[in-house]
Amino acid sequence: MKTIAQISAELQGYDPQALTCPDVNLFLSKLVTPVTGTDSVHLFDALGRVLAQDIISSISVPPHDNSAMDGYAFDGAQLSAQVQLTLKVVGTAMAGKAWQGTVAAGECVKIMTGAIMPLGLDTVVPQELARSVGSMADPQITIPAGLLQAGDNRRKLGEDLLQGRAALQKGELLTPAALGLLASLGIEKVTVWRRLRVAYFSTGDEILSLGEAPREGAVFDSNRYTIFGLLKRLGCDVIDMGVVRDDPALLEAAFTRAAAEADAVITSGGVSVGEADHTKTMMKKLGDVAFWKIAMRPGRPMAVGRISGIKFASSPDEICVDSYNVDSIKSTPRQAILFGLPGNPVAVMVTFLAFVRPALLQMMGCNAGQPPLLKACSVEAIRKKPGRTEYQRGTVSTGADGALVVRTTGNQGSGVLSSMVQANGLIVLHHQQSNVGVGDEVDVMMFDGVI
Ligand code: AMP
Ligand code: MG
């Protein structure tokens, strides 16, 4: 495990007071390590989990050549571009059982979608393209010339998955499609990495928990709820530790406890320049912590590192433990990764998406890094100073010509959470990028399924 100092030494030109966003991602990728424990879960419990094993196909899917259409199967070698083909129908192949019998030249078999292709046949003419001729006693079809090629409308053995080949790889996030793929191989249970446990709390004397009486100068805690939602979307086990006052002793107790219970601890507030230095002194005491000023907007201040925790006796009424078995981790002192996020509600979400999410995915054992950025044309001019990364809330839609366009949600204040609700993505204006003109292409990090 590398210390903050060791990682810092590896980063060229590392300056904790002017870190670029890509450097933050690089730093965090060196700081975190994947979990090691695994669970064996049924497919119905595997959605969103991360595979801890390679899946090798034990069978081929489909297991036989079969028909992709309802129609007539025949030997495609008889097709000619100039002359129509007339075939005698000698039987019917139903899905679910092999058709027994041989088919000679000039003959075909009526076949249902999914039925095994009879021996020697490689082509299917869809029912609607074949013309019935002949009689009830002597059914025949004709296939117009030039319509088909040999091999048409046949699904080949193993065209989806071939026996002995890798079907899914360790580190893949199990999507609905992946669950279906596993099922198609007859697999009922898979080994996945254990869920990541993430504790979070809000800090600030002015922060009210829901249910508390409003008072002048105080605001309701929104960060705990956005963080909760973001973590749940990632499939983490969450430990909600409430709001902690700006009091070093209370903060120290909260950090120590959180670090003992969780793999990662996320806090909001208390890391900005204006905050009392005792918070920073206290965090430093608990572990190996760096305080960064990141060249970005919104965001900027962030504390990152490893903190140590001591196990306290758990009392469920103090911490809300969600789908999380406290007894299973009665353990020795532990270390947790700390993400001390800024307090402003939008800055919390942006720093989470840009830095925390990829780091947590890595801790979850997942191969997927940042989601790909989408390109869309800005319908408006956006002012941008080179030398920092800016994330603007944006709404992507399809323009009149079918191309993607994006507009900002207006007020980009870092406390304007309503615009985070309106937006469907973040416009990413990169470090060196300058002003954006009307019609210029910009990168967008879409929210789909993430927030
Ligand atoms: P701080 O980083 O602690 O200086 O907080 C920056 C701003 O974010 C202040 O206006 C805080 O009131 C606000 N803020 C901090 N934490 C929360 C929270 N949990 N929910 C809503 N607003 C918050
Ligand atoms: Mg504060």
Side-chain angles (χ1 to χ4, degrees), residues 303-319:
V304 171
R306 278 194 205 93
I307 50 173
S308 304
I310 311 152
K311 187 95 179 89
F312 286 71
S314 293
S315 61
D317 44 15
E318 263 179 65
I319 27 173

PDB file of all heavy atoms in Angstrom, residues 303-319:
ATOM      1  N   ALA A 303     -10.451  16.642   0.650  1.00  0.00           N
ATOM      2  CA  ALA A 303      -9.472  15.937   1.485  1.00  0.00           C
ATOM      3  C   ALA A 303      -9.518  14.471   1.083  1.00  0.00           C
ATOM      4  O   ALA A 303     -10.591  13.909   0.875  1.00  0.00           O
ATOM      5  CB  ALA A 303      -9.830  16.080   2.957  1.00  0.00           C
ATOM      6  N   VAL A 304      -8.340  13.874   0.946  1.00  0.00           N
ATOM      7  CA  VAL A 304      -8.279  12.490   0.492  1.00  0.00           C
ATOM      8  C   VAL A 304      -7.197  11.762   1.262  1.00  0.00           C
ATOM      9  O   VAL A 304      -6.158  12.344   1.560  1.00  0.00           O
ATOM     10  CB  VAL A 304      -7.928  12.448  -1.024  1.00  0.00           C
ATOM     11  CG1 VAL A 304      -7.652  11.038  -1.464  1.00  0.00           C
ATOM     12  CG2 VAL A 304      -9.054  13.041  -1.844  1.00  0.00           C
ATOM     13  N   GLY A 305      -7.447  10.520   1.583  1.00  0.00           N
ATOM     14  CA  GLY A 305      -6.379   9.763   2.239  1.00  0.00           C
ATOM     15  C   GLY A 305      -6.882   8.467   2.833  1.00  0.00           C
ATOM     16  O   GLY A 305      -7.898   7.923   2.391  1.00  0.00           O
ATOM     17  N   ARG A 306      -6.110   7.988   3.809  1.00  0.00           N
ATOM     18  CA  ARG A 306      -6.512   6.788   4.543  1.00  0.00           C
ATOM     19  C   ARG A 306      -6.609   7.158   6.012  1.00  0.00           C
ATOM     20  O   ARG A 306      -5.705   7.802   6.544  1.00  0.00           O
ATOM     21  CB  ARG A 306      -5.437   5.693   4.408  1.00  0.00           C
ATOM     22  CG  ARG A 306      -5.539   4.912   3.143  1.00  0.00           C
ATOM     23  CD  ARG A 306      -4.691   3.651   3.200  1.00  0.00           C
ATOM     24  NE  ARG A 306      -4.359   3.301   1.835  1.00  0.00           N
ATOM     25  CZ  ARG A 306      -3.260   3.680   1.222  1.00  0.00           C
ATOM     26  NH1 ARG A 306      -2.346   4.385   1.862  1.00  0.00           N
ATOM     27  NH2 ARG A 306      -3.045   3.352  -0.033  1.00  0.00           N
ATOM     28  N   ILE A 307      -7.700   6.742   6.629  1.00  0.00           N
ATOM     29  CA  ILE A 307      -7.820   7.000   8.060  1.00  0.00           C
ATOM     30  C   ILE A 307      -8.066   5.676   8.785  1.00  0.00           C
ATOM     31  O   ILE A 307      -8.617   4.732   8.222  1.00  0.00           O
ATOM     32  CB  ILE A 307      -8.940   8.017   8.388  1.00  0.00           C
ATOM     33  CG1 ILE A 307     -10.248   7.636   7.687  1.00  0.00           C
ATOM     34  CG2 ILE A 307      -8.523   9.425   8.015  1.00  0.00           C
ATOM     35  CD1 ILE A 307     -11.423   8.498   8.110  1.00  0.00           C
ATOM     36  N   SER A 308      -7.623   5.642  10.043  1.00  0.00           N
ATOM     37  CA  SER A 308      -7.750   4.409  10.827  1.00  0.00           C
ATOM     38  C   SER A 308      -8.961   4.494  11.729  1.00  0.00           C
ATOM     39  O   SER A 308      -9.323   5.582  12.195  1.00  0.00           O
ATOM     40  CB  SER A 308      -6.524   4.197  11.706  1.00  0.00           C
ATOM     41  OG  SER A 308      -5.391   4.197  10.894  1.00  0.00           O
ATOM     42  N   GLY A 309      -9.542   3.359  11.975  1.00  0.00           N
ATOM     43  CA  GLY A 309     -10.722   3.343  12.832  1.00  0.00           C
ATOM     44  C   GLY A 309     -10.592   2.301  13.917  1.00  0.00           C
ATOM     45  O   GLY A 309      -9.878   1.328  13.777  1.00  0.00           O
ATOM     46  N   ILE A 310     -11.292   2.561  15.003  1.00  0.00           N
ATOM     47  CA  ILE A 310     -11.348   1.584  16.095  1.00  0.00           C
ATOM     48  C   ILE A 310     -12.792   1.122  16.171  1.00  0.00           C
ATOM     49  O   ILE A 310     -13.702   1.931  16.100  1.00  0.00           O
ATOM     50  CB  ILE A 310     -10.973   2.228  17.447  1.00  0.00           C
ATOM     51  CG1 ILE A 310      -9.665   3.031  17.303  1.00  0.00           C
ATOM     52  CG2 ILE A 310     -10.859   1.184  18.537  1.00  0.00           C
ATOM     53  CD1 ILE A 310      -9.600   4.179  18.285  1.00  0.00           C
ATOM     54  N   LYS A 311     -12.952  -0.189  16.364  1.00  0.00           N
ATOM     55  CA  LYS A 311     -14.315  -0.720  16.398  1.00  0.00           C
ATOM     56  C   LYS A 311     -14.992  -0.345  17.705  1.00  0.00           C
ATOM     57  O   LYS A 311     -14.480  -0.585  18.786  1.00  0.00           O
ATOM     58  CB  LYS A 311     -14.234  -2.246  16.236  1.00  0.00           C
ATOM     59  CG  LYS A 311     -15.559  -2.899  16.084  1.00  0.00           C
ATOM     60  CD  LYS A 311     -15.875  -3.090  14.607  1.00  0.00           C
ATOM     61  CE  LYS A 311     -17.209  -3.776  14.468  1.00  0.00           C
ATOM     62  NZ  LYS A 311     -18.287  -2.798  14.409  1.00  0.00           N
ATOM     63  N   PHE A 312     -16.162   0.287  17.582  1.00  0.00           N
ATOM     64  CA  PHE A 312     -16.989   0.577  18.753  1.00  0.00           C
ATOM     65  C   PHE A 312     -18.083  -0.484  18.806  1.00  0.00           C
ATOM     66  O   PHE A 312     -18.391  -1.095  17.797  1.00  0.00           O
ATOM     67  CB  PHE A 312     -17.666   1.941  18.609  1.00  0.00           C
ATOM     68  CG  PHE A 312     -16.748   3.105  18.801  1.00  0.00           C
ATOM     69  CD1 PHE A 312     -15.784   3.394  17.844  1.00  0.00           C
ATOM     70  CD2 PHE A 312     -16.832   3.901  19.926  1.00  0.00           C
ATOM     71  CE1 PHE A 312     -14.935   4.480  18.004  1.00  0.00           C
ATOM     72  CE2 PHE A 312     -15.982   4.991  20.087  1.00  0.00           C
ATOM     73  CZ  PHE A 312     -15.034   5.275  19.134  1.00  0.00           C
ATOM     74  N   ALA A 313     -18.676  -0.636  19.999  1.00  0.00           N
ATOM     75  CA  ALA A 313     -19.859  -1.503  20.050  1.00  0.00           C
ATOM     76  C   ALA A 313     -20.941  -0.822  19.229  1.00  0.00           C
ATOM     77  O   ALA A 313     -21.183   0.367  19.392  1.00  0.00           O
ATOM     78  CB  ALA A 313     -20.304  -1.669  21.489  1.00  0.00           C
ATOM     79  N   SER A 314     -21.544  -1.562  18.334  1.00  0.00           N
ATOM     80  CA  SER A 314     -22.536  -0.922  17.463  1.00  0.00           C
ATOM     81  C   SER A 314     -23.867  -0.757  18.171  1.00  0.00           C
ATOM     82  O   SER A 314     -24.321  -1.652  18.864  1.00  0.00           O
ATOM     83  CB  SER A 314     -22.752  -1.776  16.228  1.00  0.00           C
ATOM     84  OG  SER A 314     -21.585  -1.772  15.485  1.00  0.00           O
ATOM     85  N   SER A 315     -24.461   0.366  18.030  1.00  0.00           N
ATOM     86  CA  SER A 315     -25.827   0.517  18.518  1.00  0.00           C
ATOM     87  C   SER A 315     -26.663   1.000  17.334  1.00  0.00           C
ATOM     88  O   SER A 315     -26.513   2.120  16.874  1.00  0.00           O
ATOM     89  CB  SER A 315     -25.886   1.492  19.684  1.00  0.00           C
ATOM     90  OG  SER A 315     -25.440   2.753  19.295  1.00  0.00           O
ATOM     91  N   PRO A 316     -27.528   0.135  16.859  1.00  0.00           N
ATOM     92  CA  PRO A 316     -28.252   0.400  15.625  1.00  0.00           C
ATOM     93  C   PRO A 316     -29.058   1.696  15.639  1.00  0.00           C
ATOM     94  O   PRO A 316     -29.361   2.249  14.606  1.00  0.00           O
ATOM     95  CB  PRO A 316     -29.182  -0.809  15.483  1.00  0.00           C
ATOM     96  CG  PRO A 316     -28.561  -1.848  16.348  1.00  0.00           C
ATOM     97  CD  PRO A 316     -27.852  -1.142  17.442  1.00  0.00           C
ATOM     98  N   ASP A 317     -29.419   2.186  16.846  1.00  0.00           N
ATOM     99  CA  ASP A 317     -30.194   3.423  16.820  1.00  0.00           C
ATOM    100  C   ASP A 317     -29.305   4.646  16.596  1.00  0.00           C
ATOM    101  O   ASP A 317     -29.783   5.733  16.342  1.00  0.00           O
ATOM    102  CB  ASP A 317     -31.036   3.588  18.094  1.00  0.00           C
ATOM    103  CG  ASP A 317     -30.272   3.244  19.341  1.00  0.00           C
ATOM    104  OD1 ASP A 317     -29.023   3.153  19.269  1.00  0.00           O
ATOM    105  OD2 ASP A 317     -30.894   3.065  20.384  1.00  0.00           O
ATOM    106  N   GLU A 318     -28.033   4.470  16.736  1.00  0.00           N
ATOM    107  CA  GLU A 318     -27.135   5.586  16.471  1.00  0.00           C
ATOM    108  C   GLU A 318     -26.766   5.667  15.001  1.00  0.00           C
ATOM    109  O   GLU A 318     -26.693   6.722  14.423  1.00  0.00           O
ATOM    110  CB  GLU A 318     -25.845   5.415  17.270  1.00  0.00           C
ATOM    111  CG  GLU A 318     -25.833   6.183  18.566  1.00  0.00           C
ATOM    112  CD  GLU A 318     -24.550   5.928  19.291  1.00  0.00           C
ATOM    113  OE1 GLU A 318     -23.501   6.320  18.768  1.00  0.00           O
ATOM    114  OE2 GLU A 318     -24.605   5.299  20.359  1.00  0.00           O
ATOM    115  N   ILE A 319     -26.464   4.528  14.417  1.00  0.00           N
ATOM    116  CA  ILE A 319     -26.195   4.545  12.985  1.00  0.00           C
ATOM    117  C   ILE A 319     -27.241   3.693  12.277  1.00  0.00           C
ATOM    118  O   ILE A 319     -27.611   2.636  12.760  1.00  0.00           O
ATOM    119  CB  ILE A 319     -24.807   3.951  12.595  1.00  0.00           C
ATOM    120  CG1 ILE A 319     -24.328   2.935  13.601  1.00  0.00           C
ATOM    121  CG2 ILE A 319     -23.816   4.992  12.250  1.00  0.00           C
ATOM    122  CD1 ILE A 319     -23.080   2.239  13.173  1.00  0.00           C
TER     123      ILE A 319
END
